Each structure stands twice: as structure tokens, then as C-alpha cells.
């Protein structure tokens, strides 16, 4: 069944967390195990797709068979994603830091002996990678752009608004409130938006989420 249903199609998948340097030894990052993104890349590969896998800090290795590109910061991830295009589809699973320190120290910031105050860090906005791809025009835009939304409250309203704001075609929202155990865990509970109407998926393994998504993608690309 899986077979070769996505043969000849190229997908860009982002995964893991970006790291925004404060100085050569310190960074700001987001919690992400990379498990869901890696599983999605694997499910696409299983269906015969070519996958450019652009990943930040992760607990799991990239899937064998992907064209894997390791990155650090959000800006590096942005560059790598746009380098990897064109693609038929792009799936954005990475936990990208929204902000980065305005200036990363070139040397390790010293703790002054006897200091009683701490440095403050000025932050600037990072590029929104998903939005930048969703808003590409014409042939430059992947036919299918898929985003994720990690929410802790008002999931349906926030996710619906996010899909509109980002301009992505599909959006998978997951509840990441601590009691769900999504972060770092092997299970996920998805609310899927192909339109403004939410579609509730049962709680299932991240592998099953990946397979279900890849099957929906294969159906969409059938005959194209
Ligand atoms: O805005 P928010 O971070 O909640 O959006 C989540 C979605 O956007 C995810 O698909 C994530 O990978 C993507 N994203 C991105 N670049 C950013 C921020 C988020 O690609 N700077």
C-alpha cells in the first residue's frame, strides 16, 4: 500500500529545536525532541519520496535515506529551507525560537567576581520560516505547506487563527500542556485543520500520526 505512492515527489521537513546563541557556550532554545518531525520524514521516505530533512537539536537521529542538513539557529534553518526548495511539499515540525539575542558575544560572557546583578539580554525577532514559504508565489511555492501549532489553551481558536495568519494549507495542532506528556513522549493528540473545520484524531503514537499524515498527503498528490 505504502509502496511508491510519493515517488518522484520532493518534501522539505523541518524538525527539532533551534538554538540561538548568547555567546559561544550559551544559547536559548525550545523544548523539542524531534520525534514527530523525524517520524514524518520517515513516513514520507517509506512512500518513496525524496526528503530534505533540516533539523536542529533533537533526541533522535535523522532518518536514514533523508538528505539531512543539521542547523543551529533559526536564521540558519531559514537559509537551509530556502536552499532546499523547490519542493512539492513542505512540513514544518521544528520548534523555532521566536526571538534571538540581538548580539551574540564573540567571547564567553564573564561572570564578574562579586557581581550582584546579572546581564540582561536584548532580543530581536527571528524570521517565520513557515510563513515565508507559505507566502511564496507561483511555482516557487510548494503545492502543500503544512504547519504545526503547539497550544496550551483555546486550541481550536488559536490553531484556526494560526493557519490563516501563516497562510499554510494544513495545520496539525497539539495540546502541549504538561499533563498531556507530548514533549519528549511517544504519543500525540492531534487536531487536524485542512480548512477552518477541526478534525479530531485519536491519541496515537507519533509514528501513527506520521503515517496518517503521509497517507493524507499521498491521497492529495495522487495522479498529480
Ligand atoms: O507561531 P508558532 O511558533 O506557534 O508556529 C508554529 C509553526 O510555525 C510550526 O510549524 C513551526 O515549525 C513554524 N515556525 C517557523 N518559523 C518560526 C516560528 C514557527 O517555521 N520562526
Amino acid at each position: 500500500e505504502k509502496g511508491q505512492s510519493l515517488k518522484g515527489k520532493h518534501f522539505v521537513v523541518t524538525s527539532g529545536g533551534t538554538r540561538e546563541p548568547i555567546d559561544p557556550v550559551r544559547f536559548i532554545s525550545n523544548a523539542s525532541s524531534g520525534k514527530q518531525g523525524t517520524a514524518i520524514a520517515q513516513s514520507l521516505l517509506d512512500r518513496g519520496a525524496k526528503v530534505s530533512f533540516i533539523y536542529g537539536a533533537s533526541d533522535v537521529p535523522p532518518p536514514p535515506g533523508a538528505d539531512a542538513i543539521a542547523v543551529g539557529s533559526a536564521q540558519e534553518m531559514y537559509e537551509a529551507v530556502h536552499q532546499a526548495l523547490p519542493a512539492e511539499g513542505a512540513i514544518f515540525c521544528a520548534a523555532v525560537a521566536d526571538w534571538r539575542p540581538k548580539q551574540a558575544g564573540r567571547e564567553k560572557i564573564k561572570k564578574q567576581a562579586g557581581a550582584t546583578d546579572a546581564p540582561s539580554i536584548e532580543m530581536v525577532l527571528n524570521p517565520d520560516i513557515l510563513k515565508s514559504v507559505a507566502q511564496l508565489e507561483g511555482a516557487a511555492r510548494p503545492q502543500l505547506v503544512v504547519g504545526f501549532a503547539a497550544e496550551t489553551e483555546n486550541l481550536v481558536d488559536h490553531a484556526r487563527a494560526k493557519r490563516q495568519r501563516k497562510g499554510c494549507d494544513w495545520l496539525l495542532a497539539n495540546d502541549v500542556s504538561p499533563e498531556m506528556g507530548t514533549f519528549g513522549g511517544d504519543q500525540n493528540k492531534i487536531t487536524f485543520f485542512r480548512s477552518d473545520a477541526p478534525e479530531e484524531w485519536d491519541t496515537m503514537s507519533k509514528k501513527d500520526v506520521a503515517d496518517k499524515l503521509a497517507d493524507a498527503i499521498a491521497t492529495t498528490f495522487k495522479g498529480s
Side-chain angles (χ1 to χ4, degrees):
E1 269 295 280
K2 292 189 195 174
Q4 297 291 296
S5 55
L6 289 172
K7 190 173 160 57
K9 307 290 184 209
H10 177 215
F11 289 85
V12 173
V13 178
T14 72
S15 185
T18 67
R19 290 180 165 180
E20 311 301 323
I22 297 171
D23 68 19
V25 300
R26 303 186 180 97
F27 54 81
I28 291 168
S29 194
N30 283 54
S32 173
S33 66
K35 286 179 179 174
Q36 187 63 77
T38 303
I40 289 170
Q42 185 64 60
S43 295
L44 296 170
L45 289 163
D46 290 345
R47 288 159 182 74
K50 168 176 146 56
V51 175
S52 297
F53 185 72
I54 297 163
Y55 68 108
S58 308
D59 296 346
V60 291
D67 184 358
I69 303 150
V71 297
S73 66
Q75 286 176 298
E76 286 172 27
M77 185 173 274
Y78 177 97
E79 296 298 329
V81 164
H82 285 273
Q83 282 277 319
L85 294 175
E88 277 80 19
I91 326 267
F92 294 87
C93 299
V96 182
D98 293 312
W99 314 283
R100 67 176 180 276
K102 184 172 181 186
Q103 231 137 30
R106 288 215 276 159
E107 308 293 339
K108 183 181 174 191
I109 301 166
K110 287 280 180 239
K111 185 167 56 178
Q112 301 298 338
T116 51
D117 57 352
S120 44
I121 301 170
E122 190 181 347
M123 308 278 274
V124 293
L125 267 180
N126 268 331
D128 191 316
I129 307 165
L130 163 60
K131 192 171 179 181
S132 73
V133 171
Q135 294 184 345
L136 289 171
E137 288 183 15
R141 187 188 190 278
Q143 284 161 250
L144 185 65
V145 178
V146 181
F148 273 76
E151 306 290 349
T152 56
E153 40 142 19
N154 267 343
L155 180 134
V156 166
D157 290 344
H158 284 163
R160 193 187 278 131
K162 186 163 293 180
R163 178 174 164 274
Q164 298 279 354
R165 191 165 68 239
K166 304 255 187 185
C168 57
D169 303 302
W170 296 356
L171 186 123
L172 285 77
N174 45 15
D175 185 342
V176 295
S177 36
E179 60 272 20
M180 295 296 292
T182 303
F183 273 137
D186 293 312
Q187 298 279 112
N188 214 347
K189 170 78 181 83
I190 297 291
T191 307
F192 182 52
F193 294 83
R194 302 172 188 256
S195 66
D196 280 341
E199 189 185 302
E200 291 293 337
W201 290 2
D202 294 337
T203 299
M204 60 183 90
S205 69
K206 290 181 178 178
K207 177 176 191 320
D208 286 346
V209 167
D211 280 334
K212 198 168 160 78
L213 176 64
D215 285 338
I217 292 171
T219 302
T220 294
F221 279 105
K222 204 178 229 162
S224 74

